[in-house]
Amino acid sequence: MNAENFGSSERLVAAAYVRQGAQGRRGHELLLRALLEQGKCPEDGWDESTIELFLHELAIMDSNNFLGNCGVGEREGRVASGLVARRHYRLIHGIGRSGDISAVQPKAAGSSLLNKLTNSVVLDIIKLAGVQTVTNCFVVPMATGMSLTLCFLTLRHKRPKAKYIIWPRIDQKSCFKSMITAGFEPVVIENVLEGDELRTDIEAVEAKIKALGAENILCVHSTTSCFAPRVPDRLEELAVICANYDIPHIVNNAYGVQSSKCMHLIKQGARVGRIDAFVQSLDKNFMVPVGGAIIAGFDASFIQEISKMYPGRASASPSLDVLITLLSLGASGYKQLLKERKEMFSYLSSGLKKLADTHNERLLDTPHNPISLAMSLKNLDENNDVAVTQLGSMLFTRQVSGARVVPCGTVQTVNNYTFKGFMSHSNDYPCAYLNAASAIGIKKQDVDVFLKRLDKCLKTCRKEGNKEKSVNEICDSNTGTEQLAN
């Protein structure tokens, strides 16, 4: 409804009522105008009717929704199922063009505007989360691993002689496979044990750069968010090394946007040294379905190069999901979620420490990890060598998801690379342990139920372990008696 249509409405409904309706519509339009002019996440979240109005306005700007449109091309936004069309708010054309995921589509002005606005709003949120100096970013419809691969492939054209990627070890398959998929050889740098924490071996990184030659190294691939007892890499020191040796630096910031500490490390690394791009997951940081990531950086031209490396158009679903979510939350809502996550981390830490003391275990001291916690399972492991893995199964069948039970000495081969002590980020971590994380969206009830169920499982495991130990002692005693009799 525009002003002309509202005027025509006065012939059917009293003018005073129509004007009141027009004022109501005007309230929605002012919110849309502020978003279009500022390109920032609104401070307060929008109601669903405003968001749906906005998405409808975008959709009717795309050619597949034109009245009387006649499409004779191979891609005309045709959708067989009405349910599918409604699921995507009739935004069918996707984002980008064949040569650039950030380019505008002539026949999809609404989808193109959605793409531009999403990237702008996400950039604003990254600044709000702590990296105020970031200059450019874009949403890519791939999860973190493939998004890292896209960054490595972009660097290939800048460093054609390079074949190695320096990678401080983190036992997570997708970030490792991202390097293999891009055609490079990962150079694994083992972490060093400092107290309970596994930290970056800076001296080993620099020694390996000297041994291989800086020109043969594509980049340093570092990590922020990770499972304890590993902690975020020493980003500032790595960034300085990269600047000194003129080596690119890509950061895997998978679920680090929700952590002010991780974002501060990225900001400081870029300030004192070199960080070319940092990649973060949409689902882990913004509570949307899996399938998208954000590639961000401090050199706008390099980020644009990465976007041009993406072949073909792309799905708009991840962009649509995160834009709807951020418009619903508003900047204040997202900041509140970050605050609650930090509070829940302290609450989980306190509860896990008490539970560990009860079972003669301990909460590992990992102060540099702001998201993940680890509780030792040393006594459980000593009593029964299968009890550790059994604990993981018991938690899963009792509907505890996300907890990781890490036994000692696991060997895993990933793409012909063999990792000793896999999942523990180390060849020989001193003890088995259990991980739990305080991630965005976690509630007090989640923590309480988890601790209650973990307590029951530990008691059951210990009871069964004691039974097995008693049986073994009896068997040993009987064997000894028989030997004496003979």
Side-chain angles (χ1 to χ4, degrees):
M1 296 283 282
N2 56 25
E4 184 179 346
N5 288 337
F6 276 118
S8 300
S9 301
E10 293 179 4
R11 293 182 300 166
L12 304 170
V13 177
Y17 300 156
V18 171
R19 285 195 295 272
Q20 186 179 31
Q23 289 173 358
R25 165 87 185 199
R26 179 67 174 164
H28 294 291
E29 291 177 343
L30 288 173
L31 293 174
L32 304 186
R33 180 178 175 181
L35 175 64
L36 292 168
E37 289 181 348
Q38 299 170 14
K40 295 183 177 182
C41 187
E43 182 61 25
D44 298 314
W46 291 2
D47 66 294
E48 289 187 6
S49 63
T50 303
I51 295 173
E52 289 182 334
L53 172 64
F54 174 51
L55 295 176
H56 176 69
E57 295 281 357
L58 291 178
I60 61 177
M61 294 171 66
D62 284 0
S63 62
N64 61 293
N65 297 312
F66 291 173
L67 296 177
N69 180 66
C70 175
V72 294
E74 82 290 350
R75 181 188 285 118
E76 294 298 334
R78 301 184 182 100
V79 177
S81 168
L83 183 61
V84 171
R86 291 192 298 275
R87 174 180 176 245
H88 294 276
Y89 288 90
R90 294 182 171 80
L91 292 158
I92 309 302
H93 280 284
I95 57 175
R97 301 186 72 180
S98 58
D100 185 352
I101 197 176
S102 297
V104 172
Q105 293 188 61
K107 60 183 177 184
S111 294
S112 299
L113 184 55
L114 167 76
N115 190 26
K116 296 291 184 183
L117 280 172
T118 300
N119 292 341
S120 182
V121 168
V122 166
L123 183 68
D124 183 48
I125 289 295
I126 290 175
K127 291 179 178 179
L128 177 148
V131 187
Q132 294 85 358
T133 51
V134 64
T135 60
N136 198 5
C137 77
F138 68 98
V139 172
V140 59
M142 304 185 295
T144 309
M146 286 302 295
S147 298
L148 287 165
T149 296
L150 190 65
C151 295
F152 301 143
L153 290 173
T154 305
L155 288 173
R156 180 193 291 277
H157 297 278
K158 291 177 169 289
R159 301 174 73 82
K161 294 182 180 179
K163 58 182 289 191
Y164 303 108
I165 295 179
I166 302 293
W167 182 64
R169 177 177 170 178
I170 173 171
D171 290 353
Q172 203 272 339
K173 291 181 182 179
S174 66
C175 56
F176 182 76
K177 294 175 77 172
S178 70
M179 300 178 282
I180 301 292
T181 302
F184 295 96
E185 182 178 332
V187 177
V188 182
I189 305 296
E190 291 294 334
N191 300 301
V192 292
L193 186 64
E194 297 182 8
D196 289 331
E197 292 184 326
L198 290 167
R199 307 210 65 188
T200 318
D201 190 338
I202 294 296
E203 292 182 0
V205 169
E206 189 161 19
K208 188 60 71 172
I209 289 173
K210 291 177 180 178
L212 296 174
E215 70 281 359
N216 297 316
I217 297 170
L218 182 81
C219 66
V220 170
H221 176 192
S222 63
T223 304
T224 54
S225 54
C226 54
F227 297 117
R230 196 192 190 282
V231 300
D233 280 321
R234 299 181 190 269
L235 246 59
E236 290 183 49
E237 291 95 324
L238 289 175
V240 169
I241 289 174
C242 289
N244 291 341
Y245 288 91
D246 193 25
I247 295 174
H249 185 187
I250 304 296
V251 180
N252 175 8
N253 188 45
Y255 46 101
V257 177
Q258 61 192 280
S259 164
S260 57
K261 183 174 288 188
C262 289
M263 297 301 271
H264 179 73
L265 287 173
I266 292 171
K267 177 185 173 182
Q268 288 298 102
R271 184 182 67 83
V272 301
R274 176 173 180 172
I275 292 178
D276 293 74
F278 56 104
V279 179
Q280 36 274 308
S281 165
L282 285 183
D283 63 283
K284 293 174 183 173
N285 293 292
F286 299 102
M287 296 188 292
V288 296
V290 172
I294 304 164
I295 300 177
F298 305 92
D299 180 353
S301 62
F302 177 62
I303 301 303
Q304 191 172 6
E305 283 183 49
I306 300 174
S307 73
K308 289 181 178 179
M309 182 60 65
Y310 188 98
R313 288 172 175 80
S315 170
S317 292
S319 296
L320 183 61
D321 290 341
V322 73
L323 182 62
I324 290 173
T325 300
L326 291 175
L327 291 178
S328 299
L329 290 170
S332 60
Y334 190 68
K335 284 187 284 188
Q336 180 62 27
L337 285 173
L338 299 182
K339 179 175 177 288
E340 290 173 1
R341 187 211 68 79
K342 194 173 288 189
E343 291 170 352
M344 283 298 100
F345 179 81
S346 298
Y347 184 69
L348 175 62
S349 177
S350 175
L352 206 54
K353 186 178 187 308
K354 290 178 183 177
L355 184 64
D357 293 341
T358 301
H359 291 275
N360 198 25
E361 299 288 356
R362 66 189 186 88
L363 182 68
L364 300 183
D365 186 20
T366 56
H368 291 96
N369 194 317
I371 299 174
S372 177
L373 294 162
M375 185 186 86
S376 73
L377 298 174
K378 189 171 184 179
N379 293 305
L380 186 66
D381 192 31
E382 288 176 351
N383 289 335
N384 185 349
D385 57 357
V386 299
V388 172
T389 51
Q390 184 185 9
L391 175 63
S393 299
M394 291 176 68
L395 287 169
F396 185 75
T397 56
R398 286 158 180 76
Q399 299 181 358
V400 174
S401 61
R404 298 169 74 249
V405 172
V406 182
C408 293
T410 302
V411 178
Q412 177 84 44
T413 299
V414 183
N415 289 88
N416 298 321
Y417 288 79
T418 299
F419 293 89
K420 296 179 181 178
F422 189 74
M423 289 175 62
S424 68
H425 323 286
S426 170
N427 286 334
D428 50 1
Y429 195 75
C431 67
Y433 58 86
L434 175 141
N435 280 131
S438 174
I440 191 167
I442 191 172
K443 302 296 182 184
K444 182 176 181 292
Q445 181 184 0
D446 296 321
V447 176
D448 291 339
V449 172
F450 162 65
L451 293 173
K452 183 178 179 181
R453 292 178 183 173
L454 175 59
D455 183 39
K456 287 184 178 180
C457 289
L458 285 169
K459 288 176 180 176
T460 301
C461 284
R462 185 154 285 114
K463 190 182 296 182
E464 291 180 359
N466 289 335
K467 283 182 182 179
E468 184 175 329
K469 189 176 181 181
S470 298
V471 169
N472 291 336
E473 287 174 352
I474 292 171
C475 291
D476 291 342
S477 175
N478 289 340
T479 302
T481 302
E482 290 174 3
Q483 288 175 346
L484 287 172
N486 292 333

